[in-house]
Amino acid sequence: MDIIGLIPSFGGFLYTVVAFVVALSVIVAVHEYGHYIVGRWSGIHADVFSLGFGPVIWQRRDKRGTVWQLAALPFGGYVKFAGDADAASVGKVDAGEALTPQDRRATMHGAPLWARAATVAAGPVFNFVLSVAVFAVVILFRGVASDPLTVDEIRPVPAEVQQLEPGDEILSIAGEPTPPLDEMNGYIDTLPVEPVLDYEVRRGDEVITVQGPHPFPPLVAGVTPQSAAMQADLEVGNVIVAVDGDEVFAFDQLRTKVAGSDGQALSLDVWRGPDAGTETLSLTPKRMDLPTEGGGFETRWLIGITGGMFFEPASQTPGAFEALSYGASQTAYIVQSSLSGIYHMAVGAISSCNISGPIGIAQTSGAAASQGATSFIWFIAVLSTAVGLMNLFPIPVLDGGHLVFHAYEAVTGRPPSDGALRVLMGIGLALIGALMVFALTNDLFCP
């Protein structure tokens, strides 16, 4: 056996595992801290805050009597509140007779219904708050393009002619006046698909006409983790100059070629940069189910890249309210798309392979981390939204199941019996186990 030859693969595997553990640990820590802090605010005492399961490798007790610990298996965590029979808050310690009213109030089961419900709901809510905050910070860091359309930085592309300069305000392209930036996508579709176009620009005090490439060339501005493009080693900044021998100079031409591939392998001529030249590689588009604006899904062949203009538009830093609004809308979009995806899978409209298990999530974690800190942090926010949403499902064991129990108590005036809770929890564990097996099967056998 070639042990040396296994080192690169082992290194990639280790990188993937570390990225997955880091992402999951951040999300779990925020989720459990939500339970802990709202419970504390509500007068419920936490006995243990654990990040991980299994043997304890570090712990300390704070001044409030809560034990904070790290455990050996970093694939989850929990908060064990006073009076809980176990970490899942199933049943209660039979010590009610020995507790004073004040001590009983500090237990999970002795607290008012509103306090218990708020404590349970806080975990998913904190996941959503994390997502909104991360998306907002990222957009603050990146900035948003500002009107009017102005060249900030020229990206290297293999253009026949490129006469634009940083600072040029673009007034029209190919005779078509440039619209506000929020209408740019539709505008790009109206431009001639030609390798060289005329640009009317304001440069200083002059209005002149210069020439440049199509504003939206087949430039790789982003690579989707676990996509055909990533597997083929396409990188940000690459430009695809030909597909199956046919020259392309607009991103829409590339999109048409991929959409018409019917899943057959494509030969791409890829310009790697001014010093690296052009390389030919092969990749096979993957069939993907994508959400549409109307709430449905469409199936398309994709290679997994996003495009962009050959220049970086001038940008401005958004205000705090604008950034938070963006973060909230991005989080809401992920929730809406996820729920729509679950519905469409349930009715058989799209493939059930859209559900990823731990292997797929871990691979995506590693791929996102390999693209840089911003990509990895963005992935954490997306995964945090998914974890928050999943925990709200009305399945016993999950937070949503506990909220259903609390709703039952609010209606009937009494909680479900311990016996009923244990039966329901067993059913919930079986459902979660079945879902995990199904998702793992997808990881192993779906294309």
Side-chain angles (χ1 to χ4, degrees):
M1 179 180 292
D2 182 10
I3 300 297
I4 299 299
L6 291 176
I7 291 178
S9 297
F10 177 76
F13 171 77
L14 184 62
Y15 186 83
T16 295
V17 170
V18 170
F20 177 58
V21 168
V22 169
L24 187 62
S25 296
V26 169
I27 293 167
V28 168
V30 169
H31 180 97
E32 297 303 331
Y33 187 77
H35 289 315
Y36 163 77
I37 193 64
V38 172
R40 199 181 90 187
W41 291 340
S42 302
I44 303 173
H45 175 71
D47 289 336
V48 179
F49 185 110
S50 179
L51 191 58
F53 298 102
V56 175
I57 58 178
W58 174 88
Q59 68 177 198
R60 75 172 182 87
R61 186 181 298 273
D62 67 16
K63 62 182 180 181
R64 295 183 178 85
T66 300
V67 175
W68 298 76
Q69 65 183 38
L70 292 176
L73 301 177
F75 300 108
Y78 62 88
V79 177
K80 183 177 181 296
F81 289 102
D84 286 345
D86 54 38
S89 296
V90 180
K92 56 184 178 292
V93 175
D94 188 16
E97 298 288 334
L99 295 177
T100 66
Q102 182 178 1
D103 290 339
R104 187 179 297 110
R105 171 61 179 83
T107 67
M108 183 60 139
H109 297 276
L113 180 59
W114 68 264
R116 286 178 277 140
T119 300
V120 169
V125 169
F126 268 55
N127 281 133
F128 296 139
V129 170
L130 172 65
S131 299
V132 171
V134 168
F135 292 138
V137 168
V138 169
I139 202 67
L140 282 170
F141 175 76
R142 289 180 176 173
V144 294
S146 57
D147 285 314
L149 180 61
T150 304
V151 178
D152 182 52
E153 180 182 348
I154 303 292
R155 293 174 173 142
V157 292
E160 295 181 19
V161 181
Q162 203 305 95
Q163 298 174 340
L164 277 80
E165 297 179 359
D168 287 348
E169 178 188 331
I170 301 177
L171 306 177
S172 70
I173 305 175
E176 296 288 335
T178 54
L181 288 173
D182 58 2
E183 301 174 15
M184 187 59 65
N185 286 340
Y187 171 78
I188 293 294
D189 294 337
T190 67
L191 298 178
V193 181
E194 298 177 0
V196 179
L197 298 176
D198 289 333
Y199 288 75
E200 184 183 28
V201 302
R202 178 176 286 110
R203 182 176 294 172
D205 296 329
E206 294 183 286
V207 174
I208 60 175
T209 298
V210 298
Q211 290 187 318
H214 192 281
F216 211 79
L219 168 74
V220 180
V223 180
T224 303
Q226 298 304 110
S227 64
M230 174 159 281
Q231 293 170 358
D233 200 29
L234 278 175
E235 299 175 352
V236 172
N238 292 168
V239 180
I240 299 169
V241 296
V243 180
D244 288 339
D246 298 329
E247 185 180 10
V248 292
F249 36 81
F251 196 87
D252 192 57
Q253 289 177 296
L254 172 63
R255 184 185 292 116
T256 300
K257 288 280 190 180
V258 173
S261 68
D262 198 28
Q264 300 300 308
L266 298 173
S267 175
L268 305 183
D269 292 342
V270 180
W271 185 78
R272 296 287 195 179
D275 299 323
T278 302
E279 175 185 349
T280 300
L281 53 84
S282 177
L283 56 72
T284 302
K286 293 184 178 182
R287 188 170 179 169
M288 303 291 291
D289 298 309
L290 303 177
T292 61
E293 291 184 2
F297 277 78
E298 63 176 349
T299 301
R300 290 166 50 190
W301 294 102
L302 300 175
I303 61 174
I305 66 171
T306 56
M309 291 186 284
F310 74 89
F311 60 88
E312 186 73 36
S315 63
Q316 62 184 12
T317 301
F321 179 78
E322 182 181 356
L324 287 172
S325 296
Y326 172 83
S329 64
Q330 186 69 29
T331 302
Y333 172 75
I334 295 171
V335 170
Q336 182 271 328
S337 298
S338 299
L339 292 175
S340 178
I342 292 170
Y343 168 77
H344 283 83
M345 281 186 281
V347 300
I350 62 175
S351 171
S352 60
C353 284
N354 285 283
I355 295 179
S356 294
I359 295 176
I361 296 172
Q363 290 174 333
T364 305
S365 300
S370 70
Q371 295 185 47
T374 301
S375 176
F376 184 55
I377 292 171
W378 186 274
F379 169 76
I380 289 176
V382 172
L383 187 58
S384 181
T385 303
V387 169
L389 176 62
M390 184 186 72
N391 270 278
L392 286 177
F393 289 168
I395 300 174
V397 177
L398 300 181
D399 294 328
H402 285 283
L403 291 174
V404 171
F405 298 152
H406 294 327
Y408 172 86
E409 182 179 349
V411 172
T412 65
R414 57 185 175 81
S417 67
D418 282 355
L421 282 176
R422 293 191 181 281
V423 170
L424 291 171
M425 288 294 180
I427 294 173
L429 283 172
L431 288 173
I432 295 297
L435 179 61
M436 290 296 294
V437 170
F438 178 75
L440 186 60
T441 302
N442 281 355
D443 290 341
L444 296 175
F445 299 109
C446 281

